[in-house]
Amino acid sequence: DQQVKQNSPSLSVQEGRISILNCDYTNSMFDYFLWYKKYPAEGPTFLISISSIKDKNEDGRFTVFLNKSAKHLSLHIVPSQPGDSAVYFCAATITGTASKLTFGTGTRLQVTL
Amino acid sequence: DAGVIQSPRHEVTEMGQEVTLRCKPISGHNSLFWYRQTMMRGLELLIYFNNNVPIDDSGMPEDRFSAKMPNASFSTLKIQPSEPRDSAVYFCASSFSGSHQETQYFGPGTRLLVL
């Protein structure tokens, strides 16, 4: 039972354009959401997060949007750069569960020149 | 800070052999997590510890898998006997549980191949 879903296994975007990565969840108890980025042969690294009390969080070129009613979040990267090419994982947790995260299956982003 | 350290980085073994993966969490972190990454299922949580105590091992596939955390700076994940379907990348992560933003920091992973 996949509680966090990333339905697009891959995405290709031109350099300078916007990348939009999507994530859906089914567990309404989740109240904190994170995006991780993973390069080949490395572990995932934390990118950005959002609490359920907000609907938007921005950090430089990265913005995460949360739509609680739709149980959907998205990561926007503007402008996209070749160094953004990686696998992006969406994760969700319930605050107070000692950081237990439930991850999606990941979306591979390819930023082309 | 050296970050989360995992060893070995790569392991090739034959079916039936015992495999032991090791992890050193970031100093001061009190939660430790073992994940397995496969193409089909992405990142799956196998087990996690809080203050060296196993909290949730519901993700451990079967009795062939076991994990220990004898102290705050060391954990092992053991597979005995190993099978080809155990081939995957195994990640260890740690975090400080108690802050609102409970970010996990991952090690580089151990790539396991069971022949």
Side-chain angles (χ1 to χ4, degrees):
Chain A
D1 176 27
Q2 199 75 13
Q3 295 188 63
V4 177
K5 300 178 184 178
Q6 294 176 256
N7 292 318
S8 298
S10 63
L11 175 68
S12 183
V13 172
Q14 237 177 356
E15 181 181 12
R17 308 291 285 263
I18 183 171
S19 295
I20 300 176
L21 295 93
N22 294 303
C23 177
D24 297 293
Y25 62 96
T26 57
N27 189 343
S28 58
M29 296 293 290
F30 288 144
D31 61 357
Y32 194 69
F33 305 87
L34 307 89
W35 284 93
Y36 279 78
K37 176 178 177 179
K38 184 183 179 306
Y39 291 118
E42 295 183 11
T45 55
F46 170 72
L47 188 58
I48 192 170
S49 63
I50 188 166
S51 166
S52 60
I53 62 173
K54 295 184 177 180
D55 54 17
K56 176 182 173 182
N57 189 27
E58 196 170 348
D59 183 2
R61 296 185 297 112
F62 302 90
T63 303
V64 55
F65 295 92
L66 175 62
N67 182 333
K68 288 190 293 292
S69 61
K71 294 191 180 68
H72 177 83
L73 63 156
S74 60
L75 175 67
H76 293 210
I77 307 173
V78 183
S80 301
Q81 299 175 354
D84 296 329
S85 298
V87 177
Y88 289 79
F89 289 97
C90 168
T93 188
I94 302 169
T95 305
T97 56
S99 313
K100 180 178 177 179
L101 296 179
T102 301
F103 282 86
T105 51
T107 296
R108 181 178 300 277
L109 173 66
Q110 180 72 39
V111 180
T112 59
L113 298 173
Chain B
D1 196 328
V4 176
I5 299 173
Q6 290 188 249
S7 65
R9 292 294 308 274
H10 302 273
E11 178 81 29
V12 180
T13 190
E14 291 187 345
M15 186 174 77
Q17 296 296 307
E18 177 180 295
V19 175
T20 299
L21 312 181
R22 297 173 176 80
C23 175
K24 177 178 167 52
I26 292 172
S27 176
H29 281 185
N30 60 356
S31 290
L32 183 139
F33 307 81
W34 282 101
Y35 290 91
R36 177 170 67 176
Q37 183 190 11
T38 61
M39 291 294 291
M40 291 300 295
R41 298 179 67 86
L43 275 166
E44 294 178 277
L45 178 66
L46 300 176
I47 184 171
Y48 78 96
F49 296 84
N50 185 244
N51 295 321
N52 311 339
V53 176
I55 302 300
D56 184 349
D57 65 354
S58 59
M60 296 286 260
E62 47 199 274
D63 293 345
R64 298 184 297 107
F65 286 69
S66 62
K68 294 182 180 179
M69 192 164 186
N71 57 62
S73 59
F74 184 66
S75 177
T76 59
L77 177 67
K78 188 174 291 187
I79 308 173
Q80 165 64 18
S82 58
E83 297 182 3
R85 60 190 167 126
D86 302 330
S87 298
V89 182
Y90 291 81
F91 289 102
C92 174
S94 70
S95 70
F96 178 69
S97 176
S99 62
H100 181 67
Q101 292 186 351
E102 299 175 347
T103 302
Q104 292 183 20
Y105 297 85
F106 283 76
T110 295
R111 186 174 294 275
L112 173 65
L113 179 61
V114 183
L115 302 173

